[in-house]
Amino acid sequence: MPIFFGRRIACKIAAALIAGAALVAGVGAAGAENAKLRFAYLLADSDLPILVAQKNGDFAKAGLDVELTEVQGGPAVVAAIASGSADVGYASPVPPINARINGINVKMVMALGHEVDPDKKFSWLIASQASGIADLAGLKGKKVAVNANGSLCVLTLSDHMAKAGLKMEDVELVVLPFPQQEAALEQGAIDATCTVNPFFSSIAKNQAVGVKILAEGVLADEREPVLNDVIFATDDFIAKNPDTLKTFGKVIFETRQKLLADRGAMEAAATEFLGLTSEAAKDFKLPVVKPELTISEAEVQVLLDAMKRAGMLTQEVPVKDMVSNMAP
């Protein structure tokens, strides 16, 4: 065999091997798709790290394909998960608790926010100046808004009014999503409301409302940290996707830490994603009392006890059925 012919065959074989290796590598890269995670949420302060991480591509870099869907309230988040249109959700703890009680098998997997006395408060009961309400007792007979039936605001209103000797039937309850409450206060359609950030930051700057703060905090007694924001998912999704959930939590935690360390970035993000004016953003705070995202049965039990006092629970509920900690 001529030497040049042998070399030609050797070159063809080498080229074929290289092409084959490249093809295998290409198939591997195409097969390594990011894990899909559909996330439903209502717009609130604790969402900010999630929205920032999504824009910056941090979830994708961590191997997640996250799809965000905004809804009007916690019960709507539960509905999205129950219908199969979302895998994971963000809300206050009350909607997933109610869901579990009503046969929708969801569990809380991470804590996104807490409150504690004296000054780390992220829920408010407020009244307009025009209402003439000066304190909690002044709510009697007035139109008071909550963002949704079966929400944390219902518990908040009930717990604080009980301290003033009032019951829920002493007020005219109005269900109104958070984004609509500022205009309703300004126009006199409601006298008072339960609110959270970013909405409180905006309302507090509105001179036409003239906010009167009646109470702060989810519960009247917050000498110990009280849970106010959670991430939850179905039992089935938790069992099949523990690594996906932990990666999701890790990205949230890291993004939140960056925002807490950079006040300028926090204010810019609050303006961009939460719709605050630059002036209102100066007062914005994330509801962080505990740095970790760990959720415990003990802190959920505090809320179960409060819901029982408020008449929101008519049966004993095992707290172990409510929690499956997936914090990173």
Side-chain angles (χ1 to χ4, degrees):
M1 178 186 296
I3 293 176
F4 75 89
F5 186 68
R7 287 176 178 171
R8 185 182 300 168
I9 293 177
C11 289
K12 287 183 177 180
I13 293 173
L17 289 173
I18 292 170
L23 180 62
V24 171
V27 170
E33 295 180 359
N34 284 352
K36 184 79 173 178
L37 190 150
R38 298 169 301 163
F39 183 74
Y41 69 99
L42 68 152
L43 188 65
D45 44 14
S46 291
D47 295 323
L48 191 57
I50 298 170
L51 301 175
V52 171
Q54 180 77 333
K55 180 188 177 183
N56 292 345
D58 294 331
F59 291 123
K61 293 171 189 173
L64 299 180
D65 178 10
V66 176
E67 176 186 303
L68 302 182
T69 300
E70 183 182 348
V71 298
Q72 283 294 315
V77 176
V78 170
I81 290 178
S83 69
S85 61
D87 306 307
V88 182
Y90 156 78
S92 74
V94 172
I97 289 173
N98 284 332
R100 188 83 196 191
I101 292 168
N102 288 290
I104 301 173
N105 290 329
V106 296
K107 289 183 179 179
M108 291 169 273
V109 296
M110 281 174 251
L112 284 191
H114 295 81
E115 300 180 331
V116 70
D117 288 333
D119 57 356
K120 289 194 173 182
K121 304 283 194 167
F122 306 101
S123 305
W124 294 267
L125 292 179
I126 60 173
S128 66
Q129 186 176 27
S131 71
I133 300 171
D135 53 26
L136 287 169
L139 289 173
K140 189 170 183 177
K142 299 291 187 176
K143 294 181 180 179
V144 184
V146 294
N147 66 306
N149 287 317
S151 67
L152 190 68
C153 270
V154 175
L155 176 59
T156 297
L157 183 60
S158 175
D159 203 64
H160 283 284
M161 287 203 312
K163 186 178 179 181
L166 298 179
K167 298 179 180 179
M168 291 295 283
E169 51 264 35
D170 290 325
V171 302
E172 183 179 342
L173 204 62
V174 178
V175 177
L176 197 63
F178 288 131
Q180 299 175 29
Q181 292 177 1
E182 182 170 357
L185 284 168
E186 188 173 335
Q187 295 163 9
I190 58 174
D191 300 302
T193 190
C194 165
T195 189
V196 298
N197 268 325
F199 310 99
F200 174 75
S201 294
S202 179
I203 296 171
K205 298 290 184 182
N206 188 336
Q207 294 182 0
V209 173
V211 164
K212 171 67 177 178
I213 297 176
L214 306 176
E216 296 179 284
V218 169
L219 301 179
D221 182 358
E222 294 193 336
R223 287 171 290 181
E224 297 295 327
V226 173
L227 182 67
N228 69 351
D229 287 306
V230 298
I231 288 176
F232 60 100
T234 63
D235 294 7
D236 186 58
F237 188 85
I238 294 167
K240 293 179 180 178
N241 302 277
D243 291 340
T244 296
L245 285 169
K246 289 181 179 180
T247 300
F248 186 57
K250 184 174 184 291
V251 174
I252 295 171
F253 174 79
E254 291 174 351
T255 304
R256 188 169 78 174
Q257 291 301 102
K258 291 176 183 176
L259 289 172
L260 290 171
D262 187 340
R263 184 65 207 174
M266 175 91 79
E267 291 180 17
T271 300
E272 179 178 359
F273 296 104
L274 303 181
L276 294 182
T277 64
S278 57
E279 186 66 21
K282 292 178 181 178
D283 297 329
F284 176 81
K285 296 178 182 178
L286 283 172
V288 178
V289 172
K290 300 180 179 182
E292 66 276 3
L293 303 185
T294 306
I295 187 167
S296 71
E297 292 182 4
E299 58 191 3
V300 173
Q301 185 64 56
V302 169
L303 293 174
L304 291 175
D305 293 342
M307 290 175 69
K308 189 173 182 180
R309 292 195 305 270
M312 298 173 72
L313 289 182
T314 58
Q315 62 192 76
E316 292 296 328
V317 182
V319 70
K320 63 181 178 61
D321 293 343
M322 302 282 177
V323 180
S324 181
N325 184 54
M326 288 284 147

